[in-house]
Amino acid sequence: MKPTVQCWAVVPAAGVGKRMQADRPKQYLPLAGKTVIEHTLTRLLESGAFQKVAVAISVEDPYWPELSISKHSDVITAPGGKERADSVLSALKALKDLASEDDWVLVHDAARPCLTTADIHLQIETLKNDGVGGILALSSHDTLKHVDDDTITATIDRKHVWRALTPQMFKYGMLRDALQQTEGNPAVTDEASALELLGYKPKIVEGRPDNIKITRPEDLALAQFYMEQQA
Ligand code: CTP
Ligand code: MG
């Protein structure tokens, strides 16, 4: 199903996966018959929501050219950057002759291979008439504590705390400008924070809890379990 608005996908995939402690970046680890990044890209491509998928890949990456999906006609490769935000900006620049300023871009971590088509379309349908855009997010089931030196200093009202997932959906021109203006700022750990720093108010759309990010070794088994449940 093609949405009535033009959407592009951007996939930062230039990280080294330090916390995963594997022999290669985590996006190239095997999971249910494919590599992690092949699952992620296949899900984006098969959703039918996107004109193209721009992927940021480290210039020293020997694994990417070996995957047939790197040659897919709807996949564009851009050079990765030092931080995640640099990689995203690089992929946005690779779309400059294709995307219009007001087209939507959905930025999605390569390390989140369990994203569903349902969540992609829910996000686009919920936000397509919004002036800014927004992100998939999860509420917290646990009681949350503010802590200093192993000592609780406050209980945080759970209603107001959400966990930021991806995709993060913003207008092409607005996102590019926000990332350019906040370049090098360590507070920019996701796209939304770049827009927040400029005074914009991104929305949240409640996403599915199975959209996990592969971060530590035990996450691979969990992702495999979720994929079996989804099938
Ligand atoms: N990423 C990127 N460019 C960077 C750093 C990260 O494109 N310079 C990407 C990763 O490849 C990943 C996503 O951003 O798909 C989310 O980052 P994270 O989970 O932190 O991945 P890594 O940085 O690879 O892992 P770690 O922090 O454990 O080293
Ligand atoms: Mg990282």
Side-chain angles (χ1 to χ4, degrees):
M1 173 177 72
K2 270 256 184 291
T4 51
V5 289
Q6 283 227 112
C7 297
W8 306 84
V10 156
V11 177
V16 294
K18 207 165 140 218
R19 286 168 288 182
M20 200 69 195
Q21 299 171 315
D23 66 343
R24 66 194 71 188
K26 60 191 179 183
Q27 54 273 30
Y28 299 111
L29 293 174
L31 164 67
K34 294 193 257 225
T35 59
V36 168
I37 191 171
E38 287 175 292
H39 282 288
T40 306
L41 295 177
T42 302
R43 283 168 179 234
L44 291 169
L45 291 165
E46 288 184 350
S47 74
F50 303 107
Q51 308 294 318
K52 299 270 183 214
V53 180
V55 189
I57 299 288
S58 166
V59 284
E60 285 137 36
D61 182 334
Y63 304 101
W64 175 243
E66 299 296 316
L67 300 179
S68 63
I69 205 161
S70 71
K71 282 141 197 121
H72 190 290
S73 57
D74 288 332
V75 171
I76 295 173
T77 305
K82 189 163 162 278
E83 303 296 335
R84 183 179 176 284
D86 304 316
S87 296
V88 171
L89 187 55
S90 167
L92 289 174
K93 287 178 178 166
L95 294 172
K96 77 171 170 15
D97 295 330
L98 299 168
S100 304
E101 291 291 286
D102 284 332
D103 286 352
W104 290 105
V105 176
L106 277 75
V107 180
H108 181 65
D109 292 329
R112 293 186 189 270
C114 301
L115 176 66
T116 59
T117 297
D119 258 6
I120 296 171
H121 289 288
L122 172 70
Q123 182 171 23
I124 293 172
E125 287 308 307
T126 307
L127 297 173
K128 68 182 182 190
N129 297 316
D130 194 89
V132 178
I135 72 173
L136 288 186
L138 272 185
S139 60
S140 177
H141 297 165
D142 302 314
T143 298
L144 295 166
K145 302 296 186 189
H146 188 277
V147 174
D148 258 330
D149 264 342
D150 292 341
T151 305
I152 296 171
T153 50
T155 297
I156 298 165
D157 187 351
R158 219 166 45 189
K159 277 203 309 290
H160 298 294
V161 180
W162 289 73
R163 293 158 52 197
L165 312 178
T166 72
Q168 303 212 348
M169 171 173 161
F170 296 103
K171 293 276 173 76
Y172 177 80
M174 195 187 276
L175 178 58
R176 178 204 56 219
D177 292 351
L179 290 175
Q180 263 162 354
Q181 286 171 45
T182 57
E183 223 168 335
N185 185 333
V188 177
T189 51
D190 66 352
E191 289 59 58
S193 53
L195 283 116
E196 291 161 52
L197 280 169
L198 299 182
Y200 293 109
K201 306 254 181 250
K203 298 280 192 312
I204 61 112
V205 175
E206 183 160 15
R208 290 167 51 115
D210 54 5
N211 182 12
I212 60 165
K213 188 172 74 164
I214 308 281
T215 305
R216 296 179 190 278
E218 61 271 22
D219 296 329
L220 275 175
L222 190 57
Q224 168 132 18
F225 170 78
Y226 281 138
M227 282 185 178
E228 284 161 12
Q229 296 295 304
Q230 290 172 352

